[in-house]
Amino acid sequence: MKINLKALQAEEITEFAENLGQSRYKANQIINWLYKKYASSFTDMTDLSKSFKDILDKKAFISNLKILKVQVSKDGTHKFLFELEDSRTIESVLIPDSDRLTLCISSQVGCAMGCEFCITGSLKLKRNLRAHEIFDQVITVQRLVSENKVRLRQGFYSRKITNIVFMGMGEPLNNLPEVIEAVRKLTGLLGFSKRRITVSTCGIVPGIDELARGRTGVNLAVSLNAVTDAARNKIMPVNKKYPLHKLVQACRKYPLPPGRRITFEYVLLKGINDSMDDAVRLVRLLKGIRAKVNLIPFNEPVKNSGFSKPSEAGVLAFQKVLLDAKIAAIIRKSRGRDISAACGQLGALKWTRAGKPVLPSG
Ligand code: SF4
């Protein structure tokens, strides 16, 4: 059986080359082609001899994500629809913002967690992604960006993805071994700083502990969205298994390097979690945690979701309670709404091979 080179770590590629009677130098050439020049085939590796490429072709292959569709939002956000080897599809979102170019990547096909405000959750879990399928999202988009094939807005010059967030389809902590392996490749082979990688969870408490034990040094984000168990149980079923006090306890234990904070995502849903009492409870809940809160006013992602948008004044008043308590709280606008690329919208559309969107059948 042929070996997928992208499924190997650097030292394994060296071992593979040495087993073929090749030098460490040749192994480094392959690594360089895969992870510095984003080669998608052996043919791309122009400085390897034809005879070596023939050997490689017999023994190995390079997996690639197939780009089915790229959509561009009015605000410059790009959404990519990728096809995997088993024909399932996943999405990634590229968000240009001032001097940052953030890629939001998926860790699963679908998701089992069933958060009420999220379309991906309604798709149910199809399968976990393998580590190479996770970091291939980064390689594929980075290749398009560096080849100028992604239309970034005028005046935006970065040709390199600067930040990676595991906030696409799936719950990363339900696929932790592959996520950790992907993180190791992103830092070791693609050169990303762990400070610029964020893993987000809906609140899988043992996963938070395990992520801490994995010593990846990545940032942690928690999708919180409610401050009482009663309210959180209604919108995030995970809370029934891991209630708020356990979640907060795990966050308190998470080893944070100096100067780093845990990000708490809070989607404001009118009449559900946006009262002044909720804001005060949030302050109490986060007491003693080095925290930053992203307030995301809900914006109807699909019709008849049953949730509505909070008033602007209400959002500002909620933020003020946090700021007065010296908690960093930023109001975030959802990006890429017009192309269904915002939080909770991924997987909203299935696509025909011809690239025409079709609504999910349910
Ligand atoms: S919000 Fe995240 S964890 Fe919840 S259903 Fe959606 S993808 Fe899954």
Coordinates of all heavy atoms in Angstrom, one line a residue, residues 107-108 110-124 166-172 174 200-204 223 225 235-238 343-346, ligand 1:
S107 N -12.6 20.5 12.2 CA -11.9 19.3 12.8 C -12.8 18.0 12.6 O -12.3 16.9 12.9 CB -11.7 19.6 14.3 OG -12.9 19.9 14.9
Q108 N -14.0 18.2 12.2 CA -14.9 17.0 12.0 C -15.8 17.3 10.8 O -16.0 18.4 10.4 CB -15.8 16.8 13.2 CG -15.0 16.4 14.5 CD -16.0 16.2 15.7 OE1 -16.9 17.0 16.0 NE2 -15.8 15.1 16.4
G110 N -19.4 17.5 10.1 CA -20.6 17.6 10.9 C -20.2 17.8 12.4 O -19.0 18.0 12.7
C111 N -21.1 17.6 13.3 CA -20.8 17.7 14.7 C -21.9 17.0 15.5 O -23.1 17.1 15.2 CB -20.7 19.2 15.1 SG -20.2 19.4 16.8
A112 N -21.5 16.4 16.6 CA -22.5 15.7 17.4 C -23.0 16.5 18.5 O -23.9 16.0 19.3 CB -21.8 14.4 18.0
M113 N -22.6 17.7 18.7 CA -22.9 18.4 19.9 C -24.3 19.1 20.0 O -24.8 19.4 21.0 CB -21.8 19.5 20.3 CG -20.4 18.9 20.4 SD -20.4 17.3 21.4 CE -20.8 17.9 23.0
G114 N -24.8 19.4 18.8 CA -26.2 19.8 18.7 C -26.5 21.2 19.4 O -27.6 21.3 19.9
C115 N -25.6 22.1 19.3 CA -25.9 23.4 19.9 C -27.1 24.0 19.0 O -27.0 23.9 17.8 CB -24.7 24.4 19.8 SG -23.3 23.7 20.7
E116 N -28.0 24.6 19.7 CA -29.3 25.0 19.1 C -29.1 26.0 18.0 O -29.9 26.1 17.1 CB -30.3 25.5 20.2 CG -30.8 24.4 21.0 CD -31.8 23.5 20.3 OE1 -32.4 24.0 19.3 OE2 -31.9 22.3 20.6
F117 N -28.1 26.9 18.2 CA -28.0 28.1 17.3 C -27.1 27.7 16.1 O -26.7 28.6 15.4 CB -27.4 29.3 18.0 CG -26.2 28.9 18.9 CD1 -25.0 28.8 18.4 CD2 -26.4 28.6 20.3 CE1 -23.9 28.4 19.1 CE2 -25.3 28.2 21.0 CZ -24.1 28.1 20.5
C118 N -26.7 26.5 16.0 CA -25.6 26.1 15.0 C -26.1 25.2 13.9 O -26.6 24.1 14.2 CB -24.4 25.5 15.8 SG -23.1 24.9 14.7
I119 N -25.9 25.5 12.7 CA -26.3 24.7 11.6 C -25.5 23.4 11.5 O -26.0 22.3 11.2 CB -26.3 25.4 10.3 CG1 -27.3 26.5 10.3 CG2 -26.5 24.5 9.1 CD1 -27.3 27.5 9.2
T120 N -24.2 23.5 11.7 CA -23.3 22.3 11.6 C -23.8 21.2 12.6 O -23.8 20.1 12.2 CB -21.8 22.7 12.1 OG1 -21.4 23.9 11.4 CG2 -20.9 21.6 11.7
G121 N -24.3 21.7 13.8 CA -24.8 20.7 14.7 C -26.0 20.0 14.2 O -26.2 18.8 14.5
S122 N -26.8 20.7 13.4 CA -28.0 20.0 12.9 C -27.6 18.9 11.8 O -28.5 18.1 11.4 CB -29.0 21.0 12.3 OG -28.4 21.6 11.1
L123 N -26.4 19.0 11.3 CA -26.0 18.0 10.3 C -25.6 16.6 10.9 O -25.4 15.6 10.2 CB -24.8 18.5 9.5 CG -24.9 19.8 8.7 CD1 -23.6 20.2 8.1 CD2 -26.0 19.6 7.7
K124 N -25.4 16.7 12.3 CA -25.0 15.5 13.0 C -23.5 15.1 12.6 O -23.0 15.6 11.6 CB -25.9 14.2 12.8 CG -27.3 14.5 13.0 CD -27.7 14.4 14.5 CE -29.2 14.4 14.8 NZ -29.8 15.7 14.8
F166 N -9.5 26.9 15.5 CA -10.3 25.6 15.3 C -11.8 26.0 15.7 O -12.2 25.6 16.8 CB -9.8 24.5 16.2 CG -8.5 23.9 15.7 CD1 -7.3 24.5 15.8 CD2 -8.6 22.6 15.0 CE1 -6.1 23.9 15.3 CE2 -7.4 22.0 14.6 CZ -6.2 22.6 14.7
M167 N -12.5 26.7 14.8 CA -13.8 27.1 15.1 C -14.7 26.8 13.9 O -15.8 27.4 13.8 CB -13.9 28.6 15.4 CG -13.3 29.0 16.7 SD -13.5 30.8 17.0 CE -12.5 31.0 18.4
G168 N -14.3 25.9 13.0 CA -15.1 25.6 11.9 C -16.0 24.5 12.2 O -16.6 24.4 13.3
M169 N -16.2 23.5 11.3 CA -17.2 22.4 11.6 C -16.6 21.5 12.6 O -15.4 21.1 12.5 CB -17.5 21.7 10.3 CG -18.1 22.6 9.2 SD -18.2 21.8 7.6 CE -19.5 20.6 7.8
G170 N -17.4 21.1 13.6 CA -17.0 20.1 14.5 C -16.5 20.6 15.9 O -16.3 21.8 16.0
E171 N -16.4 19.7 16.8 CA -15.9 20.0 18.2 C -14.5 19.4 18.3 O -14.3 18.2 18.4 CB -16.9 19.4 19.2 CG -16.3 19.2 20.6 CD -15.8 20.5 21.2 OE1 -16.6 21.5 21.3 OE2 -14.6 20.6 21.6
P172 N -13.5 20.3 18.2 CA -12.1 19.8 18.2 C -11.7 18.9 19.3 O -11.0 17.9 19.1 CB -11.2 21.1 18.3 CG -12.2 22.2 18.0 CD -13.6 21.8 18.2
N174 N -13.4 16.7 20.7 CA -13.9 15.3 20.5 C -13.1 14.6 19.4 O -13.4 13.4 19.1 CB -15.4 15.4 19.9 CG -16.4 15.6 21.1 OD1 -16.0 15.4 22.2 ND2 -17.6 15.9 20.7
S200 N -11.0 25.9 20.0 CA -12.3 26.3 20.6 C -13.1 25.1 21.0 O -13.2 24.1 20.2 CB -13.1 27.2 19.6 OG -14.3 27.5 20.2
T201 N -13.8 25.2 22.1 CA -14.6 24.1 22.6 C -16.0 24.6 23.1 O -16.1 25.7 23.5 CB -14.0 23.3 23.7 OG1 -14.9 22.2 24.1 CG2 -13.6 24.1 24.9
C202 N -17.0 23.7 22.9 CA -18.3 24.1 23.5 C -18.3 23.7 25.0 O -19.3 24.0 25.6 CB -19.4 23.3 22.7 SG -19.4 21.6 22.9
G203 N -17.3 23.1 25.5 CA -17.2 22.8 26.9 C -17.1 21.3 27.3 O -17.7 20.8 28.2
I204 N -16.2 20.6 26.5 CA -15.9 19.2 26.8 C -14.8 19.2 27.9 O -13.6 19.4 27.6 CB -15.4 18.5 25.6 CG1 -16.3 18.7 24.4 CG2 -15.1 17.0 25.8 CD1 -17.6 17.9 24.4
S223 N -16.8 28.4 24.0 CA -18.1 28.9 23.5 C -19.1 28.8 24.7 O -19.6 27.7 25.0 CB -18.6 28.0 22.3 OG -19.7 28.5 21.8
N225 N -21.9 31.2 26.1 CA -23.2 31.6 25.6 C -24.3 31.6 26.7 O -25.5 31.9 26.3 CB -23.6 30.6 24.5 CG -22.6 30.7 23.4 OD1 -22.1 31.7 23.0 ND2 -22.3 29.5 22.8
I235 N -29.7 25.6 25.3 CA -29.1 25.9 24.0 C -27.9 25.1 23.7 O -27.5 25.0 22.5 CB -28.8 27.5 23.8 CG1 -27.9 27.9 25.0 CG2 -30.1 28.3 23.8 CD1 -27.4 29.4 24.8
M236 N -27.3 24.5 24.7 CA -26.1 23.7 24.5 C -26.2 22.4 25.3 O -25.8 22.4 26.5 CB -24.8 24.5 24.9 CG -24.7 25.8 24.1 SD -23.2 26.7 24.5 CE -21.9 25.7 23.7
P237 N -26.6 21.3 24.6 CA -26.9 20.1 25.4 C -25.6 19.6 26.1 O -25.8 18.9 27.1 CB -27.3 19.1 24.2 CG -27.7 20.0 23.1 CD -27.0 21.3 23.2
V238 N -24.4 20.0 25.7 CA -23.2 19.5 26.4 C -23.2 19.9 27.8 O -22.6 19.3 28.7 CB -22.0 20.1 25.7 CG1 -21.9 21.6 25.8 CG2 -20.7 19.5 26.2
C343 N -20.1 32.4 12.3 CA -20.1 31.3 13.3 C -21.5 30.6 13.3 O -22.5 31.2 13.2 CB -20.1 32.0 14.7 SG -18.4 32.5 15.1
G344 N -21.4 29.3 13.3 CA -22.6 28.5 13.3 C -23.3 28.3 12.0 O -24.3 27.6 11.9
Q345 N -22.7 28.9 11.0 CA -23.4 28.8 9.7 C -22.8 27.7 8.7 O -23.3 27.5 7.7 CB -23.4 30.1 8.9 CG -24.3 31.1 9.5 CD -24.4 32.3 8.6 OE1 -23.4 33.0 8.3 NE2 -25.6 32.7 8.2
L346 N -21.6 27.2 9.1 CA -20.9 26.3 8.2 C -21.7 25.0 8.0 O -22.3 24.4 8.9 CB -19.5 25.9 8.7 CG -18.6 27.1 8.8 CD1 -17.2 26.7 9.1 CD2 -18.7 28.0 7.6
Ligands
SF4_1 S1 -21.3 25.4 17.8 FE1 -19.5 24.0 17.5 S2 -19.8 22.4 19.1 FE2 -21.8 23.4 18.8 S3 -22.9 22.2 17.3 FE3 -21.8 23.9 16.2 S4 -19.8 23.0 15.5 FE4 -20.7 21.7 17.1

